[in-house]
Amino acid sequence: MGTDAAISVTDSWGKVWGHDNLFVCDASLHPTNGGYNPVLTIMAMAFRNANHITKSL
Ligand SMILES: Cc1cc2nc3c(=O)[nH]c(=O)nc-3n(C[C@H](O)[C@H](O)[C@H](O)COP(=O)(O)OP(=O)(O)OC[C@H]3O[C@@H](n4cnc5c(N)ncnc54)[C@H](O)[C@@H]3O)c2cc1C
């Protein structure tokens, strides 16, 4: 995830740059990890991004 298409795959909502309707909602949104278990962060981002998708329909 990032704000610059040149150095990231998706925007901050998990939407793949250059595509109108392709979202990533799993752990691959953060290819590097912190020092702690990731599942709660993965789930929180999935809920956040899914909420954004439903609002943008
Ligand atoms: C041994 C182990 C222990 C772990 N313990 C912890 C822990 O204690 N706490 C913690 O927070 N994290 C833990 N993790 C990490 C956590 O499991 C992962 O970070 C998390 O499950 C990743 O979620 P995900 O949805 O990105 O991928 P996944 O959970 O791997 O889900 C991917 C899904 O996609 C499906 N799939 C794959 N290819 C296709 C296809 N072509 N078509 C359709 N479906 C497909 C798979 O069947 C799978 O259901 C552990 C990981 C491992 C391996």
Side-chain angles (χ1 to χ4, degrees):
M1 298 168 79
T3 56
D4 183 352
I7 56 171
S8 58
V9 176
T10 77
D11 69 10
S12 59
W13 298 105
K15 186 164 79 67
V16 177
W17 294 113
H19 295 268
D20 292 332
N21 197 26
L22 177 61
F23 288 82
V24 177
C25 292
D26 66 0
S28 57
L29 282 176
H30 48 119
T32 57
N33 227 359
Y36 300 94
N37 291 336
V39 161
L40 292 179
T41 305
I42 296 165
M43 291 174 68
M45 287 206 304
F47 282 124
R48 169 186 174 274
N49 292 352
N51 190 46
H52 174 76
I53 292 168
T54 60
K55 286 181 177 170
S56 63
L57 291 176

